[in-house]
Amino acid sequence: GQSLEQPSEVTAVEGAIVQINCTYQTSGFYGLSWYQQHDGGAPTFLSYNGLDGLEETGRFSSFLSRSDSYGYLLLQELQMKDSASYFCAVRDNTNAGKSTFGDGTTLTVKP
Amino acid sequence: DSGVTQTPKHLITATGQRVTLRCSPRSGDLSVYWYQQSLDQGLQFLIHYYNGEERAKGNILERFSAQQFPDLHSELNLSSLELGDSALYFCASGPSISTDTQYFGPGTRLTVL
């Protein structure tokens, strides 16, 4: 099975950098994805790491280390609109259609 | 706008009733996933269909069922509803049988009274 752990809440100020960690226990997975969800809205895809290392997309970067069973999402130059929930997710490589999401991290950006 | 549509947006019903939630995937996407999100909870995977066939199941209750039709839209049927079924139900679509990028619809908020 798959389980992912994320901090439940993170608070930071505008302009700062914040890192949201995701540790996982899996029986096998393809890669680590990250999604953003604003309150009451639909999750939107942010980033994917299929290989170890850093992936950068604008202000957002994501990192994966399979040997450490660990990944993170890095948000730079925080803006108020970044206040949202962030979910890490994996897709089971023994059952490709099955995705498991973490419980999410609520990021609050303060002025 | 992800291109995924879900209807209805809101649904209020009583315990014991049956409802049907509908999802139309993005044009060209063959995979449809269903998720349940209870208040302040994560996304619980329910079921995955690809090109009309069931491909993966999560912790979906026996009272719940789904199907994907030839035109690729999908329906999630929830029966014998209980108070605890109140949640946001999302569908997501993807282009292939195995995709790490899923495009989510706006969700259906189900309230069971």
Side-chain angles (χ1 to χ4, degrees):
Chain A
Q2 323 280 29
S3 71
L4 300 98
E5 286 195 18
Q6 309 176 229
S8 57
E9 295 180 350
V10 172
T11 301
V13 296
E14 255 187 314
I17 300 172
V18 72
Q19 179 173 311
I20 298 174
N21 298 324
C22 175
T23 57
Y24 58 83
Q25 290 186 317
T26 80
S27 53
F29 71 108
Y30 288 104
L32 189 68
S33 299
W34 289 92
Y35 289 81
Q36 178 193 60
Q37 184 182 29
H38 286 98
D39 198 25
T44 55
F45 172 79
L46 287 178
S47 185
Y48 171 71
N49 293 77
L51 302 173
D52 282 9
L54 192 68
E55 291 285 339
E56 297 180 80
T57 310
R59 295 188 296 114
F60 295 176
S61 303
S62 58
F63 174 83
L64 174 64
S65 169
R66 290 175 185 263
S67 59
D68 295 321
S69 297
Y70 163 73
Y72 66 72
L73 179 70
L74 190 74
L75 298 87
Q76 303 182 73
E77 300 171 20
L78 280 174
Q79 303 175 9
M80 299 296 289
K81 68 178 182 180
D82 297 329
S83 292
S85 292
Y86 293 84
F87 296 89
C88 57
V90 296
R91 190 164 52 85
D92 193 330
N93 68 2
T94 62
N95 187 355
K98 182 177 179 181
S99 295
T100 301
F101 282 71
D103 287 341
T105 299
T106 300
L107 170 65
T108 301
V109 180
K110 295 189 172 180
Chain B
D1 184 356
S2 67
V4 178
T5 61
Q6 288 186 251
T7 57
K9 290 191 74 170
H10 301 276
L11 198 49
I12 301 175
T13 188
T15 54
Q17 295 298 303
R18 173 190 168 95
V19 297
T20 298
L21 313 183
R22 182 187 169 105
C23 169
S24 293
R26 292 187 323 158
S27 177
D29 282 357
L30 299 178
S31 274
V32 170
Y33 306 81
W34 285 99
Y35 294 89
Q36 179 191 56
Q37 187 175 39
S38 300
L39 192 63
D40 295 331
Q41 299 274 312
L43 291 151
Q44 300 299 316
F45 170 75
L46 295 177
I47 199 163
H48 168 223
Y49 276 84
Y50 175 77
N51 203 20
E53 290 190 11
E54 181 187 305
R55 301 298 301 194
K57 258 185 174 179
N59 296 325
I60 187 168
L61 299 171
E62 285 192 13
R63 301 184 286 109
F64 295 3
S65 65
Q67 52 185 324
Q68 186 179 26
F69 295 86
D71 67 352
L72 301 177
H73 91 272
S74 179
E75 294 180 356
L76 179 67
N77 301 295
L78 315 175
S79 62
S80 303
L81 284 168
E82 302 175 0
L83 296 178
D85 297 328
S86 295
L88 261 173
Y89 291 83
F90 289 103
C91 80
S93 75
S96 65
I97 194 170
S98 57
T99 177
D100 291 286
T101 305
Q102 297 180 25
Y103 299 89
F104 282 78
T108 293
R109 183 173 294 280
L110 173 66
T111 303
V112 182
L113 301 175

